[in-house]
Amino acid sequence: MKFTKPGIDALTCPPGKRDVMFTDSEVKGFAIRVNATGSKTFLFNYRFAGKPRRLIFGQYGELTLAQARKLAEAARGKVLTGGDPAGDKKAAAHAFQQQAIEEAKQAAVNALTFQVLTERWASNALRDSSESHSTEAPRRLRFNFADMLDRPAHALTVAEVQNRLDEVAEKHPTTARRLQAYGRAMYGWAVKRQLVEENPFTNVVIEGREVSRDRVLTDAELGAVWRAACQMPYAFGPFFRLLVLTLQRRSEVAGMRWDEITPDLTTWTIPASRTKNGKEHIVHLSEPARQVLASLHRQTDSKTGAVSPFVFTNTGRTPISGFSDGKERLEALMEQERASNAPGGPKKAGKKPSGLPASGWRLHDLRRTGVTTMARLGIGPHVADKVLNHTEGAISGVAAVYQRHEFLKERAAALDAWAGHVLSVASATGIEPTAGNVVLLRR
């Protein structure tokens, strides 16, 4: 029969059959299948390589008769030239499916930006690391690669990483080495999990060798730091003073929480999650340190009004940050004091000359200054190491394995002596302390 619209509309499937096939007399192979439910499907039957083949066009209603006939004529033309239209359709569908899969994979790869990778690395690979490391490593990578955060992680090249680390190394070679180590570890973790294929940090080169710092502030410089810190308001003023008095790491003091401090303000216990070596650390608080803490008011969350758990905070929700700006303000006050006491400058009664630290000093140098001064005061190096929470120091090797005494009383006396020295050099110059001329403050 020649297919016409009225004829197709009248086609039905005989009772008792699942479907029936009707063929068109005009285009050889053009057919329509009518099933028991009443649906009608256009198709094209032919032979290829001696085997019967069938090409499905679509359902009547979705396709008009004219459209289906045109498709059948095109398929018939391909068959006459030796083609396999059903095979071509299957191959095209497979290619489309594969392309969709590849595009989905690529979208997933591109979704893993440098920013997302640092977050996943921190929450997975670093979850058992100390709080300071798990926070500091991703933060430094994000800060120094800020313009690449939205780039797909796999797209970073060795040349780009090398150029960035070279820029950092010009002024901060140690920071560049730390960044290389952090980046290499992060991408190494990602490569093992097949998140990326290459590690762009592996073959970068940081020129020169790492030199251990040996900067120790003089007594005059230490006194100038203390006097400037006393002029600064909350939060950096008291923060700098406690940094000096406790000799703990910057991140540890900045993250100090009220529930880590005993009610009488005599002891501060830094939990293992916040220490560099992952061990709980007890810090004696000298009388000057207690006075600093006693002068502080509990801060509140600026949004919710809830009392903040942090001793030093600007938001009530997170510890203080912006240490570079804080240190610049500290040094500006020190410079003002130096200028006011310079020959020919304004004179103020009772003002002591100050020694402005030479350029290049860092907050971390206060720890070295403290332990060096303790040696001058006759305090044993094993006690000083315990004050700084060093895992390796005067007691090492087999002795470090078996020696578990914490020297808490000795550490308390050492920090009291150090506090006395700080106050002494802050009010006078030219003092060379000995164990005998430092007055230990009462606990």
Side-chain angles (χ1 to χ4, degrees):
M1 62 176 286
K2 180 180 178 180
F3 287 161
T4 62
K5 185 178 185 307
I8 292 177
D9 290 339
L11 293 175
T12 59
C13 181
K17 288 191 174 183
R18 188 175 67 176
D19 58 41
V20 63
M21 187 86 69
F22 298 91
T23 59
D24 181 44
S25 60
E26 187 170 293
V27 179
K28 185 178 180 181
F30 184 32
I32 188 168
R33 181 174 58 202
V34 182
N35 64 23
T37 63
S39 67
K40 302 170 183 180
T41 306
F42 288 117
L43 50 87
F44 179 72
N45 294 311
Y46 67 99
R47 297 183 70 83
F48 179 76
K51 296 181 180 179
R53 304 280 279 172
R54 176 170 293 170
L55 176 63
I56 306 296
F57 294 140
Q59 290 203 348
Y60 177 53
E62 295 178 357
L63 285 175
T64 66
L65 172 59
Q67 290 171 331
R69 189 185 299 280
K70 188 174 183 180
L71 292 174
E73 289 172 346
R76 178 68 178 165
K78 289 184 178 180
V79 171
L80 292 176
T81 59
D84 180 16
D88 293 343
K89 182 179 179 180
K90 184 177 181 181
H94 179 72
F96 179 80
Q97 184 180 30
Q98 287 300 115
Q99 182 180 358
I101 293 174
E102 291 301 320
E103 288 178 351
K105 287 182 178 179
Q106 190 62 43
V109 169
N110 291 339
L112 184 72
T113 62
F114 191 87
Q115 168 80 20
V116 172
L117 179 57
T118 60
E119 293 171 354
R120 291 184 61 174
W121 180 54
S123 60
N124 290 278
L126 303 184
R127 63 187 173 190
D128 295 327
S129 301
S130 67
E131 183 178 334
S132 59
H133 178 66
S134 62
T135 301
E136 185 71 5
R139 185 192 69 81
R140 288 206 176 198
L141 285 170
R142 287 192 291 266
F143 177 79
N144 287 279
F145 290 86
D147 59 332
M148 302 182 189
L149 291 179
D150 294 331
R151 291 266 305 279
H154 71 88
L156 266 69
T157 65
V158 175
E160 289 176 319
V161 172
Q162 182 71 69
N163 289 338
R164 180 54 47 84
L165 293 183
D166 285 345
E167 292 171 1
V168 175
E170 286 183 8
K171 293 184 178 180
H172 307 287
T174 300
T175 298
R177 290 187 177 86
R178 296 289 180 273
L179 289 172
Q180 180 190 23
Y182 296 152
R184 185 168 54 214
M186 180 176 72
Y187 270 85
W189 174 83
V191 168
K192 289 178 180 178
R193 282 151 187 79
Q194 298 183 356
L195 298 175
V196 296
E197 294 183 358
E198 303 290 340
N199 187 337
F201 285 82
T202 298
N203 295 320
V204 296
V205 177
I206 308 299
E207 302 296 343
R209 62 185 181 86
E210 186 165 350
V211 179
S212 298
R213 288 183 59 80
D214 58 3
R215 180 75 163 89
V216 175
L217 276 66
T218 66
D219 288 347
E221 292 173 334
L222 179 62
V225 170
W226 178 264
R227 288 192 296 274
C230 288
Q231 297 180 58
M232 297 181 70
Y234 182 89
F236 275 106
F239 165 74
F240 284 135
R241 280 180 277 163
L242 278 185
L243 194 67
V244 170
L245 293 171
T246 63
L247 297 177
Q248 301 312 300
R249 293 179 175 85
R250 186 188 72 181
S251 61
E252 293 167 352
V253 178
M256 179 186 285
R257 302 170 65 103
W258 286 108
D259 60 8
E260 297 172 355
I261 304 169
T262 55
D264 61 358
L265 305 182
T266 59
T267 305
W268 168 32
T269 303
I270 310 175
S273 62
R274 293 209 308 109
T275 61
K276 185 176 181 179
N277 59 16
K279 297 180 180 178
E280 182 181 88
H281 183 49
I282 298 175
V283 182
H284 166 71
L285 297 172
S286 61
E287 179 62 27
R290 295 196 292 272
Q291 291 175 4
V292 172
L293 289 170
S295 69
L296 301 180
H297 299 289
R298 293 290 295 267
Q299 302 297 306
T300 58
D301 188 321
S302 57
K303 290 187 176 179
T304 66
V307 176
S308 175
F310 298 107
V311 176
F312 302 111
T313 176
N314 290 322
T315 64
R317 299 182 300 278
T318 58
I320 58 170
S321 57
F323 302 105
S324 296
D325 291 340
K327 183 170 176 282
E328 285 180 6
R329 295 197 294 273
L330 178 77
E331 291 176 324
L333 289 170
M334 295 163 66
E335 174 60 28
Q336 289 176 15
E337 181 187 76
R338 185 200 64 76
S340 67
N341 288 281
K347 301 295 181 179
K348 295 184 180 180
K351 201 88 170 189
K352 303 291 184 181
S354 69
L356 182 67
S359 60
W361 78 283
R362 302 175 186 173
L363 294 176
H364 195 77
D365 295 335
L366 293 169
R367 284 165 57 84
R368 189 180 302 103
T369 300
V371 75
T372 300
T373 302
M374 286 181 183
R376 293 162 59 196
L377 296 172
I379 297 168
H382 57 290
V383 175
D385 284 335
K386 287 292 186 181
V387 168
L388 299 185
N389 197 21
H390 281 167
T391 53
E392 295 182 3
I395 301 176
S396 59
V398 176
V401 175
Y402 291 98
Q403 201 305 105
R404 296 301 182 190
H405 184 55
E406 292 297 322
F407 301 98
L408 292 177
K409 291 184 178 180
E410 295 84 351
R411 285 155 57 181
L415 284 170
D416 282 338
W418 164 247
H421 173 71
V422 171
L423 297 186
S424 177
V425 299
S427 60
T429 57
I431 293 179
E432 290 294 329
T434 64
N437 67 14
V438 172
V439 179
L440 296 181
L441 300 175
R442 292 187 150 215
R443 299 180 59 185

